[in-house]
Amino acid sequence: MSEAVLIPHNSTEEWKLPSRGIVGMACLILAEAAIFIIFIVAYIFYIGKSLTGPTPHDVLSLPIFATVCLLSSSLTVHFAVNAVHVGKRTLSSLWLAATVLLGGIFLTTTALEWYHLIYRDGLTIRTNLFGTTFYSLVGLHATHVIVGLILLAFALLFSLRGDLTPKHSERLEVLSLYWHFVDAVWVVVFLVVYVLGR
Amino acid sequence: MATQSPVNAILDETTSSSTHPSALQILHDWLTTADHKKIGLMYIGYALLFLVVGGFQAILMRIQLAIPNNHFVSPQAFNQLFTMHGTTMVFFVGMPVLFGFGNYLIPLMIGARDMAFPRLNAFSFWIAAFGGFLLYFSYLGAPGLSGAGSAPDVGWWAYAPLTARAFSPGHSTDYWTLAILISGIGSIGTAINIVATILCMRCPGMKLSRMPLLVWIYLVMAMMVFVTISPLTAAQIMLLLDRYLGSHFFDTQAGGSAVLWMHFFWVFGHPEVYVLILPTFAFANEIIPVFSRKAVFGYPAMVAATVAIGFISLSVWAHHMFTVGMGPGANTFFVLATMTISVPTGIKIFNWLATIWGGKIHFTSSMKFAIGFLFQFLVAGLTGIMLGSAPFDWQLSNSYFVVAHFHYVLVGAILFMLFSAFYYWYPKMTGRMLSEKLGTWHFWLFVIGFHLTFDLMHIPGILGMPRRIYTYEADRGWMMWNLLISCGAVIQTVATLIFVYNLIWSYFKGPVAGADPWDAWTLEWSTTSPPPSYNFAVIPGVSSRRPLWDLKHPEDPDSNYE
Ligand SMILES: [Cu+2]
């Protein structure tokens, strides 16, 4: 009953397969990108279609500083991965701390921007189509930043405790892929919301 | 067909434990499992459960429509029935049953011991299962609980502005949105797992060009899930924002667009059809060659056609929207794109015919259903071409002709091939053969019931009967057709009950299958039936597309021809 044929395994040829962590993250990024595309399409479709004010031109200003912070955090996380790869613990903690700090600054600027928009300009998600699409798109991106920051903070914690050894470098690399994606999305959001939409 | 493998069999000693586990232990085992085979079987069982529920809803609707001026169910209940039937069949039958087969078969076919992320796999299953539970929980409770006691009734595509707070008070639409959002997360998780498993877990020698076609097609299907389910997820988030935070995405009063929802829904909705049917193509690619005793014809063409279908199907969604008034430019584009997709599907059909051609055909129940699939898929494709041309669609959009067309795809093609897959892989999953006698009854009754229902359903559509209609006047001339359609539905129900009985009876009394009852060629047949939890005692190595052929015919292995 429990018969099974045995297929011999000839180990002469080399057999290399891609890392499942990186493939899995690439797939997740593809799926997330599709979600962002729909929100961006909605944003572009509704540019200039609000029936009432305020308009983007009235209330939005270019978040240059926040953008610089977020984009440089892509560099710092890359350096952190390199540091973990060669086993330099202090250096990796330092770069991870810098990444978390830069991401934190970005989030704070977003929070301040929203605070002003809501209390100074009276723009909420219910005000008009601009408010609807702006808060949902920027909010969706900010949610991803928060998730990334939580994961990076854990990585920093592990690094400070000395648990982040070279054998974990691939995991940190997977996380850094996610972070690069979040940054890349910001470039698109920036162009659509603050350049094209204004 | 008994196993004739010329190689020495090995005995698997670890499975024969003498103590019997208690029922509680078995339950604990299944609830906490991360084994791809158990998760696959749970997906399949869960889908079968919902298949019965969705079928029951269909029967209720057919009783309601069998005669004119009928009041068998209330109009409100009827709206809930067609909404729940559609939603259930697409999201809680189609997706889980296909993910179930994929989960079960892919690691076995590529010589792996599990999926790439076993715990993500379990998570995806349970969250999808929770989505189904949430959808049906809407039937419970009382209107007193903020209208919680009402099932969704906005149709399975839930067009705006019907879903707005003003027109859909209470929580029925929220149940619909959340159930789909949640099960979508499960779908993305499983799709990630499928891609990572296929790319990263193949056994030595299993190059991409040697993978069974089933695995190839599941790879394309999983890639499509990312770009198909995600837009729906995004649209559901927007709908939730509209309903809960008062945003205006689909609120025409504030300048929002109801047509935007249509686009977002069908950007999901059309490729979803291909997400559902590609796995059944995958089954056909394994089953038809084995029962024709020939290697599949045109392997590279099959792969290319699958990838082509994947891409083209992303650009045809608005053929569901010809009556919206998109203008001649957009209409022409979507007509042409829709016509283009018949090229790769035509290639597939010709390849299957060429595989059967000159073969030594074994007419098992599995093969019978596969042949039914071929024929009915062709007919469904032909009515698809009719509806895909805008002027024709203007006449028949939203009529029973459309309902007949897509049921021809979903039942005539997808469900038929699924039945075929059940007859083919049930021996591997349980160690027992399904009864061929009951299978023959199942097949012929289902064929008769299917054609009675869905061939005839085209006619009231042409005569002007709109879909989703609650009842109709006697003088419309639709009565005889509807009565016959309903009779066909009863015959299909009887056939399905025979199938369910066969599944249960054969589990206990069916003939013992052995490892390789069909004398097949792919790796899943090289291990025991059912396989041990680690699948393969030794990780196999392959040197051609048909490793078991090579084993059984060392004098003329496939690897000589690669
Ligand atoms: Cu379509």
Side-chain angles (χ1 to χ4, degrees):
Chain A
M1 181 175 151
S2 52
E3 61 193 303
V5 289
L6 177 63
I7 299 191
H9 170 332
N10 68 341
S11 53
T12 48
E13 52 184 313
E14 204 193 346
W15 189 242
K16 277 201 99 163
L17 291 167
S19 137
R20 57 189 172 160
I22 288 173
V23 169
M25 181 51 76
C27 292
L28 182 69
I29 286 174
L30 183 59
E32 295 265 35
I35 293 184
F36 273 107
I37 285 173
I38 294 294
F39 274 89
I40 288 165
V41 165
Y43 193 93
I44 294 174
F45 182 75
Y46 283 137
I47 286 177
K49 295 220 173 100
S50 294
L51 300 183
T52 58
T55 64
H57 190 74
D58 299 337
V59 294
L60 288 188
S61 52
L62 286 181
I64 301 285
F65 177 63
T67 306
V68 170
C69 284
L70 192 66
L71 294 188
S72 25
S73 75
S74 244
L75 274 178
T76 53
V77 82
H78 177 72
F79 294 143
V81 174
N82 283 350
V84 172
H85 197 67
V86 294
K88 291 185 180 160
R89 281 182 201 171
T90 331
L91 203 59
S92 70
S93 303
L94 221 58
W95 284 124
L96 277 173
T99 313
V100 174
L101 184 72
L102 289 166
I105 294 175
F106 173 83
L107 267 186
T108 318
T109 11
T110 307
L112 281 176
E113 182 195 33
W114 283 30
Y115 179 83
H116 286 309
L117 285 175
I118 294 169
Y119 292 103
R120 190 188 62 200
D121 306 316
L123 180 76
T124 68
I125 198 167
R126 332 176 75 130
T127 310
N128 56 14
L129 279 173
F130 164 53
T132 293
T133 49
F134 173 81
Y135 285 112
S136 52
L137 177 56
V138 176
L140 186 70
H141 178 261
T143 314
H144 283 75
V145 175
I146 292 170
V147 171
L149 275 184
I150 292 173
L151 295 174
L152 284 167
F154 271 110
L156 175 61
L157 199 70
F158 293 141
S159 180
L160 288 173
R161 281 171 41 138
D163 294 339
L164 212 58
T165 56
K167 74 175 178 211
H168 299 109
S169 75
E170 195 192 290
R171 293 189 182 187
L172 193 65
E173 198 185 332
V174 170
L175 177 57
S176 79
L177 270 182
Y178 173 83
W179 193 248
H180 292 320
F181 165 69
V182 171
D183 291 355
V185 169
W186 178 252
V187 174
V188 179
V189 172
F190 180 84
L191 289 176
V192 167
V193 174
Y194 296 95
V195 179
L196 179 74
R198 223 158 60 98
Chain B
M1 286 181 284
T3 317
Q4 300 147 342
S5 53
V7 288
N8 26 348
I10 56 156
L11 273 177
D12 172 33
E13 287 165 17
T14 47
T15 49
S16 56
S17 80
S18 53
T19 49
H20 256 293
S22 71
L24 203 65
Q25 265 175 318
I26 295 175
L27 187 69
H28 178 265
D29 216 35
W30 281 85
L31 288 182
T32 58
T33 187
D35 177 356
H36 73 99
K37 296 181 292 301
K38 282 186 174 160
I39 292 172
L41 289 177
M42 284 197 291
Y43 260 124
I44 293 171
Y46 160 81
L48 282 176
L49 185 77
F50 276 115
L51 179 71
V52 171
V53 173
F56 181 65
Q57 289 161 341
I59 285 294
L60 292 182
M61 283 189 282
R62 281 325 310 175
I63 295 174
Q64 165 63 26
L65 290 171
I67 50 171
N69 289 315
N70 199 1
H71 295 283
F72 176 71
V73 294
S74 70
Q76 292 79 9
F78 190 79
N79 286 353
Q80 294 175 343
L81 280 176
F82 68 67
T83 305
M84 293 294 268
H85 171 77
T87 309
T88 306
M89 288 302 197
V90 171
F91 295 100
F92 301 108
V93 178
M95 296 297 276
V97 79
L98 300 171
F99 280 147
F101 273 97
N103 243 308
Y104 196 98
L105 293 172
I106 289 168
L108 285 169
M109 282 188 148
I110 60 172
R113 288 195 167 136
D114 208 320
M115 299 287 275
F117 308 108
R119 276 175 293 185
L120 173 66
N121 205 13
F123 169 79
S124 302
F125 168 74
W126 287 108
I127 195 142
F130 178 69
F133 169 78
L134 190 66
L135 184 69
Y136 276 86
F137 186 74
S138 64
Y139 268 119
L140 303 176
L145 296 169
S146 326
S150 49
D153 55 359
V154 288
W156 88 278
W157 58 45
Y159 272 0
L162 189 56
T163 48
R165 265 254 179 264
F167 308 109
S168 207
H171 290 304
S172 60
T173 301
D174 301 323
Y175 278 113
W176 181 83
T177 307
L178 285 171
I180 289 175
L181 192 64
I182 285 173
S183 77
I185 294 170
S187 301
I188 299 279
T190 305
I192 289 175
N193 227 329
I194 287 175
V195 174
T197 305
I198 293 173
L199 292 183
C200 315
M201 308 287 283
R202 281 166 288 139
C203 68
M206 180 71 75
K207 300 175 188 164
L208 287 178
S209 58
R210 283 181 190 154
M211 287 197 310
L213 278 170
L214 180 140
V215 180
W216 252 113
I217 295 180
Y218 262 95
L219 180 64
V220 175
M221 175 264 208
M223 299 297 281
M224 284 183 70
V225 166
F226 302 133
V227 288
T228 301
I229 302 289
S230 293
L232 183 68
T233 305
Q236 304 286 14
I237 294 172
M238 291 176 186
L239 182 57
L240 277 177
L241 291 176
D242 270 13
R243 285 179 63 85
Y244 278 96
L245 298 184
S247 63
H248 307 292
F249 280 109
F250 310 116
D251 174 11
T252 43
Q253 305 250 301
S257 166
V259 176
L260 194 66
W261 169 270
M262 293 186 189
H263 279 292
F264 288 167
F265 186 85
W266 289 116
V267 162
F268 147 79
H270 184 86
E272 170 70 8
V273 178
Y274 284 89
V275 168
L276 291 176
I277 206 167
L278 278 181
T280 64
F281 293 169
F283 303 154
N285 280 324
E286 300 305 319
I287 292 169
I288 289 176
V290 166
F291 290 123
S292 305
R293 312 308 306 154
K294 278 173 68 189
V296 72
F297 182 89
Y299 176 103
M302 280 293 201
V303 173
T306 309
V307 176
I309 287 175
F311 277 107
I312 301 172
S313 72
L314 297 179
S315 60
V316 302
W317 76 88
H319 63 212
H320 297 265
M321 298 166 56
F322 286 141
T323 49
V324 171
M326 294 181 295
N331 281 352
T332 312
F333 173 81
F334 285 108
V335 168
L336 291 177
T338 305
M339 300 296 156
T340 314
I341 213 163
S342 52
V343 175
T345 29
I347 290 175
K348 277 177 177 275
I349 290 185
F350 281 117
N351 277 353
W352 287 320
L353 291 178
T355 306
I356 296 173
W357 187 263
K360 189 168 176 296
I361 306 171
H362 292 270
F363 283 104
T364 57
S365 300
S366 183
M367 187 61 171
K368 284 179 199 145
F369 275 106
I371 290 171
F373 154 84
L374 272 183
F375 174 69
Q376 282 140 207
F377 179 58
L378 177 67
V379 176
L382 294 177
T383 52
I385 291 178
M386 292 160 81
L387 288 171
S389 63
F392 195 93
D393 186 75
W394 289 334
Q395 294 298 317
L396 288 171
S397 183
N398 259 336
S399 76
Y400 258 87
F401 191 89
V402 176
V403 179
H405 159 69
F406 71 73
H407 280 87
Y408 234 91
V409 179
L410 295 168
V411 179
I414 296 178
L415 188 61
F416 264 70
M417 204 58 227
L418 259 175
F419 283 142
S420 174
F422 269 104
Y423 284 95
Y424 185 69
W425 279 295
Y426 185 89
K428 180 49 65 184
M429 293 171 176
T430 63
R432 305 261 182 175
M433 311 290 287
L434 279 170
S435 157
E436 279 294 316
K437 196 172 151 217
L438 289 173
T440 309
W441 275 99
H442 172 209
F443 172 72
W444 286 110
L445 278 177
F446 207 91
V447 165
I448 293 167
F450 168 80
H451 284 280
L452 194 56
T453 298
F454 295 110
D455 292 11
L456 297 186
M457 197 181 273
H458 292 89
I459 298 169
I462 294 172
L463 296 178
M465 181 169 167
R467 69 191 290 191
R468 292 176 176 170
I469 198 175
Y470 167 61
T471 190
Y472 52 91
E473 293 298 325
D475 59 4
R476 304 307 288 265
W478 302 338
M479 173 177 158
M480 186 189 65
W481 303 114
N482 275 295
L483 196 60
L484 288 171
I485 291 167
S486 295
C487 290
V490 173
I491 298 176
Q492 288 178 75
T493 310
V494 173
T496 310
L497 290 178
I498 291 175
F499 169 66
V500 172
Y501 174 74
N502 197 354
L503 287 182
I504 298 167
W505 183 85
S506 301
Y507 183 77
F508 298 104
K509 300 279 171 62
V512 172
D516 182 16
W518 310 119
D519 192 9
W521 305 307
T522 38
L523 281 179
E524 79 269 30
W525 305 105
S526 72
T527 183
T528 53
S529 304
S533 62
Y534 45 84
N535 291 354
F536 302 98
V538 178
I539 291 289
V542 298
S543 49
S544 83
R545 283 174 197 154
R546 297 193 298 168
L548 292 207
W549 170 276
D550 294 359
L551 264 181
K552 293 166 190 170
H553 304 272
E555 74 288 352
D556 184 27
D558 268 9
S559 39
N560 285 358
Y561 305 96
E562 276 187 13

